[in-house]
């Protein structure tokens, strides 16, 4: 059998190419820059720079909590459960009802909020602000809000089983607690458990202890030795303490905004049992009737929204922030805009290449849903974003609040 010689035609070598997933791992900054610097900027996920990830909210998913919610934002999923526990005043060290803000400041060592800008307010508004400041100081002193963030095993490759709570989880818990106090989110009236000495018998389930009964409901016994018996004022005998657990099931990107949304949705879903002080049993009793459970009164609906700033060129960590700021002040704003992009609601890949992060918290004003006020701005990691950029992110957060409200109301 004759052996045929090899063909003289030469084969063209196949060019070496990488799929997008490999390119993203080998050169993440160049990969993101290639998407954003195109004629029609699109992020690797297909979203526009100012487009948020899809979000879903489900409430009432946990049966053994007074309130719960499950929130999913892109690939980030958070479960929040709220459970109330009774704190008796007998367990509070040096418990005395305060009457003035100055007394609260001396006793608790805190600073009443928003009391230095009341010169132009009327007396009614001043009274509301003072009462709100007193409630905020008292709630912080008694530690009635106990949020705890847990980054579960498997939520991200960075978290391995068997380890202690991470620094990120503790930082997130502190940020959640700080924002709850700063925004005065929960009314102190919902946390107090009252005792009405002149109401006989103990308050029925349909009577709220936080609202003193009318004079027609009082049964005041007559003292044969003293005809001048007067009704005794109601007293606070206990407080509700809210234990809030936020469990991150899946993590992709900064989780604070999703954690806060889960918290707000769970608090809107929370129903605390009707509780009152029983003088005969010398304890707090709770009504088992679901119909008598009372929802929490929230002071507006604050919304948190995160942003990232991507800068073309070397990572921001290679040059000090002060040197970066000095160099950028010498350039024109037009040139800087072409070299940086503001990304709304970063995912895990974008968070790994964006050195600068901004969180904006806004809330609908009491005067109307159309007016949105800024409660808090947190910024760190770089010096790229200037005044114009801050105005941009604040404007985006205000626009997002309306859609976020509708999503909460529909959950």
């Amino acid at each position: 059998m004759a052996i045929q010689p090899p063909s003289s035609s030469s084969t063209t070598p196949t060019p070496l190419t990488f799929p997008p997933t490999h390119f993203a791992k080998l050169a993440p900054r160049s990969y993101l820059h290639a998407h954003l610097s195109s004629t029609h900027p699109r992020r690797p996920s297909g979203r526009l720079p100012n487009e948020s990830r899809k979000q879903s909210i489900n409430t009432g998913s946990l049966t053994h909590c007074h309130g719960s919610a499950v929130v999913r934002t892109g690939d980030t999923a958070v479960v929040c459960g709220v459970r109330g526990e009774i704190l008796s005043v007998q367990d509070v060290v040096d418990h005395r009802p305060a009457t003035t803000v100055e007394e609260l400041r001396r006793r608790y060592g805190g600073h009443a909020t928003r009391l230095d800008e009341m010169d132009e307010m009327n007396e009614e508004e001043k009274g509301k602000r003072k009462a709100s400041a007193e409630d905020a100081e008292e709630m912080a002193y008694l530690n009635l809000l106990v949020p705890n963030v847990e980054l579960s095993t498997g939520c991200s490759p960075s978290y391995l089983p068997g380890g202690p709570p991470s620094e990120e989880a503790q930082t997130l818990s502190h940020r959640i607690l700080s924002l709850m106090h700063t925004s005065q989110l929960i009314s102190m009236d919902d946390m107090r458990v009252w005792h009405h000495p002149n109401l006989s018998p103990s308050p029925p389930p349909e009577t709220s202890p936080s609202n003193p009964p009318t004079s027609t409901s009082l049964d005041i016994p007559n003292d044969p030795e003293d005809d001048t018996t007067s009704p005794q004022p109601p007293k606070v005998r206990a407080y509700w303490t809210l234990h809030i657990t936020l469990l991150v099931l899946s993590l992709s990107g900064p989780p604070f905004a999703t954690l806060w949304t889960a918290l707000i949705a769970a608090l809107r879903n929370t129903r605390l049992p009707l509780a009152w002080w029983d003088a005969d049993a010398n304890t707090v009793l709770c009504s088992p009737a679901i119909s008598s459970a009372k929802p929490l009164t929230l002071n507006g609906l604050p919304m948190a929204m995160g942003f990232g700033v991507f800068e073309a060129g070397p990572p921001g960590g290679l040059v000090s922030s002060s040197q970066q700021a000095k160099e950028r002040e010498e350039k024109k704003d037009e040139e800087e805009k072409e070299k940086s992009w503001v990304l709304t609601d970063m995912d895990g890949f974008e968070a790994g290449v964006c050195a600068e992060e901004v969180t904006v918290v806004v809330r609908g004003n009491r005067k109307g849903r159309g007016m949105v006020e800024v409660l808090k701005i947190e910024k760190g990691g770089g010096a790229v974003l200037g005044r114009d950029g801050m105005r941009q992110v604040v404007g985006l957060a205000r626009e997002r609040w309306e859609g976020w409200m509708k999503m909460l109301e529909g959950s």
Side-chain angles (χ1 to χ4, degrees), residues 52 55 57 179 183 185 256-262 264 299-307 344 359-364 372-377 393-408:
S52 301
Q55 193 172 67
I57 303 175
L179 183 54
S183 62
L185 181 61
F256 182 79
T258 305
L259 288 168
W260 184 257
T261 300
I264 294 295
N299 181 20
L301 292 175
M303 182 204 72
M305 192 170 185
F307 302 88
T344 302
T359 301
V360 180
V361 182
V362 296
R363 178 177 61 188
V372 181
E373 60 179 344
V374 179
L375 288 181
K376 193 173 186 179
I377 297 179
V393 298
V394 170
L396 291 173
R398 285 175 170 170
E399 295 175 1
R400 171 67 176 166
W401 187 83
E402 289 288 346
W404 184 79
M405 265 289 302
K406 295 179 181 178
M407 189 179 305
L408 280 176

Side-chain angles (χ1 to χ4, degrees), residues 333-334 337 342 384-395:
D333 294 338
E334 296 296 333
K337 291 180 180 179
V342 176
V384 177
L385 201 66
R387 293 184 179 180
D388 293 340
M390 293 300 295
R391 293 190 185 98
Q392 178 186 355
V393 298
V394 170

Side-chain angles (χ1 to χ4, degrees), residues 175 253-256 306-309 346 351 354-359 378-382 385:
R175 291 176 63 188
F256 182 79
F307 302 88
V309 181
M346 295 183 294
C354 292
E356 188 170 353
E357 182 180 350
V358 182
T359 301
E378 296 179 351
K379 179 179 177 293
L385 201 66

Side-chain angles (χ1 to χ4, degrees), residues 86-95 141-142 237-239:
I86 295 295
L87 172 65
S88 175
V89 295
Q90 300 174 357
D91 299 327
V92 179
V93 178
D94 192 25
H95 177 268
Y141 171 73
L142 297 173
R237 291 294 187 177
Y239 298 92

Side-chain angles (χ1 to χ4, degrees), residues 164-220:
S166 63
E167 294 182 3
E168 182 179 3
Q170 298 179 48
T171 301
L172 290 170
S173 300
H174 178 74
R175 291 176 63 188
I176 292 288
L177 178 61
S178 176
L179 183 54
M180 293 181 72
H181 286 313
T182 301
S183 62
Q184 300 177 7
L185 181 61
I186 299 177
S187 173
M188 194 62 189
D189 293 336
D190 297 335
M191 311 297 284
R192 298 186 178 104
V193 179
W194 294 88
H195 170 53
H196 303 286
N198 303 301
L199 189 62
S200 179
S202 299
E206 63 270 15
T207 303
S208 174
S210 60
N211 297 323
T214 60
S215 58
T216 57
S217 301
L218 296 177
D219 184 10
I220 305 174

